[in-house]
Amino acid sequence: MASKKGEPQGLLLPVTAAALFPSTTAALGAGPPRGTCPFRQLHRRLFALLALLSLGAVVAVTVFPFPPWGRHSPSDICPFKPPAYTHPYVAVRPRLYNLLSDVITNQSTALLLPTAIRPLRDESDVELYGWRQTPNVFYLLGPYQVAGGAVVLTRAADDPITGAPHFRIDVYQPVLTEREAVFSGELPSPDEVRRRHLVDGVFPVTDLTANLAAANITAALTTVPVATLQRSIGPAVDLARLFTVQQSSAALDAFGLARFVKTKDEITLLEYASRVAGWAHKVIQMLIETAPTLSENDIKAEFARLCSLCGGDIQVYGGIVGAGKHAAVLHYRTGEDVTTAPAPIVAGDLVLIDAAPEYYGYASDLTRTHVRLSAWDARSKEVHGIVARVQRRFIDEHLVEGVDWNEATALFARDFTEELLDAGFLVNGTVSDLLALKMYAFFMPHGLGHPVGVEVHDSTPEAPTAAALAAGSHPALSAHLPPAPSWWLPEMLGGSATASPAATSDSGNGGITARYVVGRGLAVTVEPGLYFISGLLATARANATIAAHIGWNKVDGGRYLELGGVRIEDVVLLDLDGKKRVITR
């Protein structure tokens, strides 16, 4: 359309903008009246152009906040407000003291806990990455970040009103050389340690034997091998010259039993770590499904970065990110293979990510499995569906207050075997026949779950008695405290040539069980998986009795070895009110 005489030529944008954004153009004005300065008119129209461009940018960011190029994260701001740190170690001490009072019965015996040293790489002067304080010192003192030395507990006078046992806590710090102080920084002052960790005394480790002798200590116990304690204390202190130090399983069990049931403050930290883990996993899912190029290393690094935004600066273990066949390696060491770790993940591959942060020393644990840049095909959907169904049923129906974990996992084993039989991965037998051979363990050779707390595989004591549980009772837990947790790390398969390798398990349940009753204050993972592991399937194939029950037509014909595997893991909390909650979702 031709312009009228006297109007600037070629500036057609306001006309187009008026057609597209009439309300915006009206608000900016229709332009100057006839006869005004053309430069002023040009200035106003340029202003309108800039305003429209700004509006377009706002619309683009609002409607398309996560472009498929550039940044990978939907946000550089944590969506949660971290809870205040309330020094949970204060609330756990009375319970711990009750339990320890049966081990340390007099004031002439001391319990020595080593603090973690910082080991070097072999043939190197470089520290191993990922130092962390020993869990029992952390449980007792909170985030005490000094390596080396010891923490000493001795009996003090019982509470004069309640009669509750009490212990004195003394911290013995290493003595740094000037060079060590320059390179690593000075140690916290004694006043700072007393204030932050609520201990009675802080001394150089070189004063240890003299102080123990002055306190008339004639015997010493420790929770670790004596050589480990001596290594932490250092060569300048020779405890053997003063008395014999004995490793005490009873003292270790007392800590384990105390840590098994969580207090309100501990639950707060566990819940927050789990919320952060759940959020980070959702962001990672978006990346796996949409990012044009992505490697195992990319995912591991981005997950750690996301957690750090929320204060989860420490990953509780090296994040497991396995794509394709790597998803069938239970504890795959992401990043060690310099060829595959940085390589782009192939579209259609399953990607398993098992990763979680800790918050103020309390760990979460979470696993998800996704498909890279593709829809779920029939194989991956089938395998993921089996795992999701058995996990959901275990949490909803079997994991209830008062149930024996061993009995609950037996129900899980039946459910899982039924699913494998229905899908054709197991054949030629009834569910009872297949359970008797523990056939499901060829597809899930690990434990169903474990407690979480100050360790990702947190402690459950070995065969505690009812009396020990009562002695450690917590006011809010005494009526609900579970008897006798005793779980062990899942065993790998092994056995004779004539029986199922899984059938030789001492657990009686094929490596998925533990012995305790579910009670209030328990935080435990539920992590079923279904994997196609070439070594286990080769073992099964070589045994005629076992091979007869594997659906080889299904496994081989469907090329399931290429799929890798699926694991789904969540943390389930039975809180102090008896309410069951999945805190990672």
Side-chain angles (χ1 to χ4, degrees), residues 257-319:
L257 183 55
R259 286 165 48 187
F260 180 65
V261 179
K262 308 304 186 287
T263 64
K264 180 180 178 181
D265 291 340
E266 291 179 293
I267 286 172
T268 297
L269 300 179
L270 281 170
E271 285 188 297
Y272 182 72
S274 295
R275 289 178 67 196
V276 172
W279 170 69
H281 271 271
K282 289 177 183 176
V283 176
I284 294 299
Q285 177 182 355
M286 182 199 71
L287 296 182
I288 291 171
E289 294 175 350
T290 63
T293 301
L294 200 65
S295 70
E296 293 172 345
N297 277 354
D298 291 336
I299 294 172
K300 182 177 180 178
E302 179 66 1
F303 186 89
R305 188 190 76 84
L306 289 166
C307 294
S308 72
L309 296 175
C310 298
D313 296 326
I314 298 177
Q315 298 292 292
V316 295
Y317 47 88

Side-chain angles (χ1 to χ4, degrees), residues 6 39-40 52 61 103 148 150 156 187 196 227 229 243 246 295 330 343 361 370 377 410 459:
F39 294 103
R40 180 179 298 176
L52 289 170
V61 170
V103 182
L187 297 175
R196 285 187 177 182
L229 174 66
F243 42 60
Q246 293 184 327
S295 70
L330 302 184
H370 308 289
D377 64 19
S459 174

Side-chain angles (χ1 to χ4, degrees), residues 180-205:
E180 288 171 334
V182 168
F183 274 83
S184 302
E186 299 283 352
L187 297 175
S189 69
D191 286 342
E192 187 177 0
V193 174
R194 278 191 289 266
R195 185 179 69 254
R196 285 187 177 182
H197 306 288
L198 300 181
V199 299
D200 297 285
V202 182
F203 308 96
V205 73

Side-chain angles (χ1 to χ4, degrees), residues 186-484:
E186 299 283 352
L187 297 175
S189 69
D191 286 342
E192 187 177 0
V193 174
R194 278 191 289 266
R195 185 179 69 254
R196 285 187 177 182
H197 306 288
L198 300 181
V199 299
D200 297 285
V202 182
F203 308 96
V205 73
T206 49
D207 290 350
L208 178 58
T209 53
N211 286 358
L212 292 178
N216 297 316
I217 300 298
T218 59
L221 305 176
T222 184
T223 55
V224 297
V226 175
T228 302
L229 174 66
Q230 186 66 62
R231 186 166 61 247
S232 179
I233 292 174
V237 179
D238 186 4
L239 291 174
R241 294 178 60 185
L242 186 61
F243 42 60
T244 301
V245 182
Q246 293 184 327
Q247 183 178 359
S248 171
S249 60
L252 184 63
D253 286 346
F255 272 94
L257 183 55
R259 286 165 48 187
F260 180 65
V261 179
K262 308 304 186 287
T263 64
K264 180 180 178 181
D265 291 340
E266 291 179 293
I267 286 172
T268 297
L269 300 179
L270 281 170
E271 285 188 297
Y272 182 72
S274 295
R275 289 178 67 196
V276 172
W279 170 69
H281 271 271
K282 289 177 183 176
V283 176
I284 294 299
Q285 177 182 355
M286 182 199 71
L287 296 182
I288 291 171
E289 294 175 350
T290 63
T293 301
L294 200 65
S295 70
E296 293 172 345
N297 277 354
D298 291 336
I299 294 172
K300 182 177 180 178
E302 179 66 1
F303 186 89
R305 188 190 76 84
L306 289 166
C307 294
S308 72
L309 296 175
C310 298
D313 296 326
I314 298 177
Q315 298 292 292
V316 295
Y317 47 88
I320 300 168
V321 181
K325 291 183 178 180
H326 295 164
V329 182
L330 302 184
H331 284 180
Y332 177 65
R333 294 184 176 93
T334 304
E336 288 194 359
D337 188 323
V338 296
T339 301
T340 61
I345 299 172
V346 177
D349 273 1
L350 286 180
V351 183
L352 185 151
I353 172 169
D354 182 341
E358 64 179 43
Y359 185 68
Y360 277 101
Y362 282 80
S364 184
D365 200 0
L366 179 57
T367 306
R368 296 288 185 264
T369 309
H370 308 289
V371 175
R372 174 73 176 127
L373 280 177
S374 177
W376 293 80
D377 64 19
R379 292 182 310 161
S380 57
K381 185 182 296 184
E382 175 188 39
V383 173
H384 193 276
I386 290 172
V387 178
R389 285 192 297 274
V390 293
Q391 190 211 38
R392 184 166 56 248
R393 186 170 184 184
F394 182 83
I395 294 172
D396 292 347
E397 300 179 20
H398 305 325
L399 186 62
V400 296
E401 184 178 1
V403 70
D404 184 287
W405 178 268
N406 192 34
E407 295 176 2
T409 53
L411 295 174
F412 163 81
R414 177 169 287 276
D415 293 341
F416 190 40
T417 300
E418 288 175 351
E419 289 277 2
L420 295 174
L421 188 59
D422 290 345
F425 294 116
L426 294 179
V427 296
N428 299 331
T430 66
V431 171
S432 296
D433 294 335
L434 299 171
L435 278 171
L437 291 172
K438 310 292 191 298
M439 291 299 302
Y440 59 83
F442 283 101
F443 296 94
M444 182 183 151
H446 63 72
L448 180 59
H450 54 81
V452 293
V454 294
E455 285 286 315
V456 65
H457 288 175
D458 207 25
S459 174
T460 48
E462 185 170 350
T465 64
L469 288 160
S473 63
H474 184 285
L477 304 173
S478 57
H480 310 284
L481 202 60

Side-chain angles (χ1 to χ4, degrees), residues 36-66:
T36 58
C37 174
F39 294 103
R40 180 179 298 176
Q41 184 178 11
L42 176 61
H43 178 268
R44 291 187 176 184
R45 294 188 178 187
L46 286 174
F47 176 77
L49 173 61
L50 291 173
L52 289 170
L53 289 174
S54 299
L55 177 62
V58 171
V59 170
V61 170
T62 303
V63 178
F64 308 107
F66 317 135

Side-chain angles (χ1 to χ4, degrees), residues 101-122:
S101 65
D102 286 338
V103 182
I104 303 174
T105 59
N106 57 67
Q107 295 184 351
S108 62
T109 301
L111 175 63
L112 280 62
L113 305 176
T115 56
I117 63 171
R118 296 183 184 271
L120 303 179
R121 297 177 184 173
D122 291 339

